[in-house]
Amino acid sequence: MKKRMRTRKSLNVKKRVVGFFDKILKLNVSKDLDFQDINYQTTKKYITRKSDFDLTVTSLRSPWKLYVSTNGLSLNGKAFHGNLVYKKSQASTQPLTSSDELIAQDLNSYQDKTVSDLSATWTKDTGLLLEPDQNQISPAGKYQGTLNWTLVNSITN
């Protein structure tokens, strides 16, 4: 009886996957946000940003909502007496808290890639600002905190 020898051939197979991205939803936000220095006897209602802050949403076929939250500012474990706020206009100001606050949305589903530059429309008196508590003085120092951004694909019914 003859044994049949089988030989196996090994082939190098290269796969090429062609994909089509049917949706895009991306958030670009500045790493740091600095405010003007505060004189301890300030009577200013709001403290403005020291430098530009970039906030953009890029979308394609993706309606969206943008939320922000924070646990506030602190220095060596002691809270800053005041609030971070989002001021959309002279008549609309939202204090930022540990709960998500809706600050922008676009419920359209664009067929072309769209970049919404949210901070481009901010003036020195609108956008992200600091609202010191006029009844309490915060010790001098560099306070720090974190802004938590949540970008949600918001499909409308």
Side-chain angles (χ1 to χ4, degrees), residues 43-101:
T43 57
K44 291 181 181 180
K45 174 90 173 141
Y46 299 104
I47 307 302
T48 59
R49 295 173 304 279
K50 193 180 273 189
S51 58
D52 288 339
F53 186 80
D54 294 320
L55 181 61
T56 61
V57 174
T58 303
S59 64
L60 171 67
R61 295 184 198 96
S62 292
W64 54 267
K65 291 183 179 181
L66 180 62
Y67 300 88
V68 64
S69 66
T70 184
N71 286 328
L73 299 171
S74 64
L75 172 68
N76 299 324
K78 297 196 181 208
F80 173 77
H81 297 296
N83 296 306
L84 285 163
V85 296
Y86 178 70
K87 190 171 181 186
K88 189 170 187 171
S89 66
Q90 294 298 351
S92 173
T93 303
Q94 294 173 262
L96 302 182
T97 66
S98 59
S99 299
D100 284 342
E101 294 290 332

Side-chain angles (χ1 to χ4, degrees), residues 91-147:
S92 173
T93 303
Q94 294 173 262
L96 302 182
T97 66
S98 59
S99 299
D100 284 342
E101 294 290 332
L102 177 67
I103 64 163
Q105 66 181 355
D106 190 341
L107 301 178
N108 295 306
S109 182
Y110 299 104
Q111 296 303 311
D112 294 321
K113 185 167 119 177
T114 304
V115 177
S116 300
D117 190 347
L118 305 174
S119 55
T121 59
W122 295 354
T123 67
K124 71 175 186 133
D125 298 319
T126 61
L128 294 170
L129 301 172
L130 194 57
E131 181 181 36
D133 184 336
Q134 299 297 326
N135 299 316
Q136 296 185 54
I137 297 173
S138 294
K142 185 173 181 169
Y143 288 78
Q144 295 185 345
T146 301
L147 290 170

